[in-house]
Amino acid sequence: MQVDRLSINNINNIQEFLCNLNEPIIITDLFSHWPSVTLAKQSPLVLLRSLVTQASTELVDTLIIDKKYKGLIGYTDNKFKNYTFEKHNAPLISVLKKLIINFNNQGSDTIAVQSALINECLPDFCIKNSAPKFLANVPPRIWLGNAATVPGHYDTEHNIALNLCGKRTFYLLPANEIKNLYVAPIDRTVAGPAISLVDFENPDFEKYPKFKATKEKVLTATLEIGEALYIPPLWWHNVKAIDPVNILVNYWWDPTSTKSDLGLEATDSLLHSILTLRNLPESQRCAWQALFSHYVFEKTDEFKNKSNEYHGILSNSHESLKSVANALKERMKQ
């Protein structure tokens, strides 16, 4: 099933619209004013040469994937200790020049710059290519290289991903499909979040038979130059860049105060729960499940705005939230 396309001309408040959407959508004209989009439409080499003139000497995380792995970022063994890539710190300008040199060499190793902060490695880029107003305070990141595959994973924040150059296809599934995704161990990830071992586009049903129940639910979004994909938090996405040069710029943002104000992340809660609850007897796990349902997932608001006498954590009082968060962080240091 194909992800729908939408023009921002039909939306009054784009940020509010996206935060209430809870499904992926392609936005066709959010970045159409960018000079870099115009250069990319001329040719990948024109854009690369422009970026070379803007690049700083800042080192960026760069993956080199041996050609025998066909661009897949993943594991080489069932112990999840060895990867298909070597990770290096390299100046972005060197990576850009390497992509220019290898443009017509289809047999070369795969190069993949991952999540580099644009303000650091391309300091003039944001001046020439301004973000939409609702993303003005969000630091953009750049992902670039030749044909590479990022396995299925999720992000915890809202994500706008602009396909700046080349062609990139996203294969997406909602969070509740995790039971059929054969997720690798959460503590041995290739980079950040846990990843699925399944190729969402061409699954191996002999190795991953449970994915049969999920295959028909996969959403597909193939982005042309200048198109952006909105990915809601916790949606799985398997990403395939298929051209000799592929460049993506993304913005992660979180409209809540949990991370920026309280200094806490939901992923920390998940890891903490695995450490403290996963190995308890079943009866205790069920009891904790009931408590989590009451306080977290059902979000019972019996104390909110009910009385002026109670201003604690269950009333969503910012002062109380901050106080408890600070106490929790201090406790974790012990």
Side-chain angles (χ1 to χ4, degrees), residues 39-305:
L39 294 177
K41 289 180 177 179
Q42 293 179 34
S43 86
L45 292 178
V46 169
L47 177 59
L48 286 176
R49 290 174 182 137
S50 172
L51 295 179
V52 165
T53 66
Q54 303 173 49
S56 72
T57 57
E58 183 75 19
L59 300 179
V60 295
D61 288 342
T62 306
L63 308 186
I64 305 297
I65 308 169
D66 190 287
K67 56 187 175 184
K68 67 182 178 183
Y69 297 114
K70 300 179 180 179
L72 175 64
I73 299 172
Y75 304 98
T76 62
D77 57 52
N78 292 329
K79 295 182 179 179
F80 308 105
K81 288 186 175 181
N82 298 299
Y83 307 129
T84 59
F85 57 86
E86 294 182 357
K87 188 174 181 179
H88 303 273
N89 290 320
L92 180 63
I93 191 170
S94 299
V95 177
L96 294 168
K97 290 179 178 179
K98 185 71 171 176
L99 288 173
I100 293 173
I101 293 171
N102 288 347
F103 184 72
N104 292 315
N105 182 7
Q106 300 303 310
S108 61
D109 292 341
T110 299
I111 302 172
V113 170
Q114 300 284 283
S115 190
L117 283 166
I118 290 179
N119 291 337
E120 296 177 357
C121 63
L122 290 166
D124 292 334
F125 185 91
C126 293
I127 298 173
K128 299 177 179 179
N129 302 274
S130 58
K133 288 183 179 180
F134 78 99
L135 297 172
N137 295 320
V138 180
R141 297 173 179 269
I142 192 166
W143 311 65
L144 61 90
N146 38 24
T149 296
V150 178
H153 65 286
Y154 61 83
D155 303 308
T156 59
E157 298 177 311
H158 297 270
N159 187 5
I160 288 280
L162 162 68
N163 187 56
L164 180 56
C165 184
K167 184 173 287 187
R168 197 176 297 250
T169 300
F170 290 72
Y171 300 92
L172 304 113
L173 284 165
N176 59 9
E177 294 300 321
I178 187 173
K179 59 186 179 295
N180 297 321
L181 299 187
Y182 297 87
V183 179
I186 195 170
D187 59 332
R188 296 190 178 175
T189 67
V190 295
I195 66 168
S196 169
L197 302 177
V198 184
D199 181 335
F200 290 6
E201 180 189 19
N202 296 303
D204 183 339
F205 290 134
E206 289 189 7
K207 291 179 68 174
Y208 310 114
K210 290 192 295 183
F211 195 78
K212 288 182 180 179
T214 296
K215 173 62 176 172
E216 297 304 315
K217 301 175 185 178
V218 174
L219 300 180
T220 302
T222 298
L223 303 182
E224 302 295 338
I225 293 173
E227 292 186 325
L229 177 66
Y230 168 68
I231 307 174
L234 303 180
W235 269 72
W236 293 87
H237 44 291
N238 179 191
V239 191
K240 298 188 178 185
I242 58 180
D243 283 350
V245 175
N246 299 275
I247 303 176
L248 180 140
V249 173
N250 91 297
Y251 298 80
W252 280 311
W253 85 95
D254 183 357
T256 70
S257 63
T258 304
K259 181 177 180 180
S260 60
D261 189 19
L262 301 181
L264 298 173
E265 297 193 44
T267 299
D268 296 335
S269 299
L270 176 61
L271 294 173
H272 195 178
S273 297
I274 291 173
L275 292 172
T276 58
L277 304 180
R278 178 180 170 87
N279 292 318
L280 291 177
E282 182 180 2
S283 60
Q284 292 184 43
R285 293 201 312 274
C286 290
W288 277 109
Q289 185 177 23
L291 292 176
F292 269 74
S293 293
H294 178 78
Y295 286 111
V296 180
F297 301 112
E298 295 173 3
K299 198 178 177 182
T300 303
D301 288 334
E302 56 187 299
F303 293 102
K304 187 176 181 180
N305 300 325

